[in-house]
Amino acid sequence: LNLVLFLKVSMIKYQCIWVRESVKTGSFLCYKRRLLVEKLKVKLTEIIEGLNYYLYDVTYELEAGSYVLRVMIDNDTEISIDDCVKVSRVVSDALDEIDPFNEPYNFEVTSGGAERELRNSEEIKRAVGKPVYIETVDQKMEGILEKFKDGTIVIKHKNKRVSKIQYMDVSYIRLAIIF
């Protein structure tokens, strides 16, 4: 088990790895791997939340001929390399016990990214006070997420103007780096 630590600055999308189990049967392992990753997420969520972090995502991907188990974490402020080291030590011990995958893999602990997507209302609530980028069907905007309550997102723009957007109208929202 190789241990690689780094701070990820961009968003990572989940990619499904299709691996042919047998040319004869034509069956695929993607579904099985996704199930393993989902079960692993449940176990890792408890461990990571016990360390006062949030589990942003877990991916298991084939990259450059090697499998990579990537655990992405978040907290209420920002993730440092020391945070990644702390989490990786505890999670690595847990992975040794759980031993979720048959093949060798590299293990990485990263942040979710400086401009990570906010995928649900819980992640949006944690982002209050941070800069965000939002897309709806008819507009795109950036600003500070002032409030999220009762399905309404309140954004304060650079020019101090305030916009209210209904959560159900948002097609995409992510953290933003505003200069």
Side-chain angles (χ1 to χ4, degrees):
L1 179 72
N2 296 329
L3 180 63
V4 178
L5 299 173
F6 67 97
L7 194 58
K8 185 77 176 160
V9 179
S10 64
M11 292 184 349
I12 297 172
K13 297 284 185 186
Y14 181 81
Q15 295 176 346
C16 188
I17 308 159
W18 291 95
V19 179
R20 199 172 273 262
E21 186 179 286
S22 158
V23 176
K24 192 174 191 177
T25 63
S27 60
F28 292 96
L29 295 175
C30 185
Y31 180 73
K32 183 178 177 183
R33 289 197 200 292
R34 268 202 246 178
L35 283 178
L36 284 172
V37 169
E38 290 305 314
K39 288 179 183 178
L40 188 58
K41 279 183 185 180
V42 172
K43 292 175 184 177
L44 294 181
T45 296
E46 184 178 321
I47 293 167
I48 290 170
E49 286 180 355
L51 297 170
N52 295 318
Y53 297 96
Y54 304 106
L55 179 65
Y56 179 73
D57 206 358
V58 175
T59 61
Y60 186 69
E61 301 171 332
L62 186 60
E63 295 179 2
S66 299
Y67 283 98
V68 178
L69 175 63
R70 189 170 288 119
V71 175
M72 290 161 271
I73 59 173
D74 192 15
N75 64 14
D76 292 326
T77 55
E78 60 185 35
I79 296 295
S80 70
I81 193 72
D82 293 332
D83 296 319
C84 292
V85 169
K86 179 181 175 182
V87 170
S88 71
R89 286 185 176 141
V90 174
V91 170
S92 181
D93 290 343
L95 288 172
D96 288 343
E97 290 178 26
I98 299 168
D99 196 20
F101 305 105
N102 294 328
E103 57 276 333
Y105 60 90
N106 294 316
F107 169 54
E108 298 178 358
V109 173
T110 74
S111 75
E115 292 191 326
R116 68 187 162 278
E117 182 178 1
L118 303 174
R119 303 166 298 181
N120 55 51
S121 59
E122 185 177 310
E123 290 178 7
I124 294 171
K125 286 176 188 173
R126 285 199 311 261
V128 169
K130 297 178 181 177
V132 294
Y133 169 83
I134 297 179
E135 290 181 11
T136 65
V137 173
D138 56 351
Q139 58 185 336
K140 297 176 183 180
M141 64 181 73
E142 280 188 339
I144 302 298
L145 177 59
E146 291 285 310
K147 189 165 129 181
F148 178 60
K149 187 175 181 183
D150 299 328
T152 302
I153 297 171
V154 179
I155 302 295
K156 186 175 186 179
H157 303 276
K158 283 183 182 179
N159 63 4
K160 308 294 183 207
R161 185 176 59 92
V162 174
S163 296
K164 292 183 179 181
I165 304 131
Q166 293 302 308
Y167 177 58
M168 63 186 294
D169 294 333
V170 173
S171 56
Y172 180 73
I173 181 171
R174 66 168 169 78
L175 293 178
I177 299 173
I178 299 177
F179 298 97

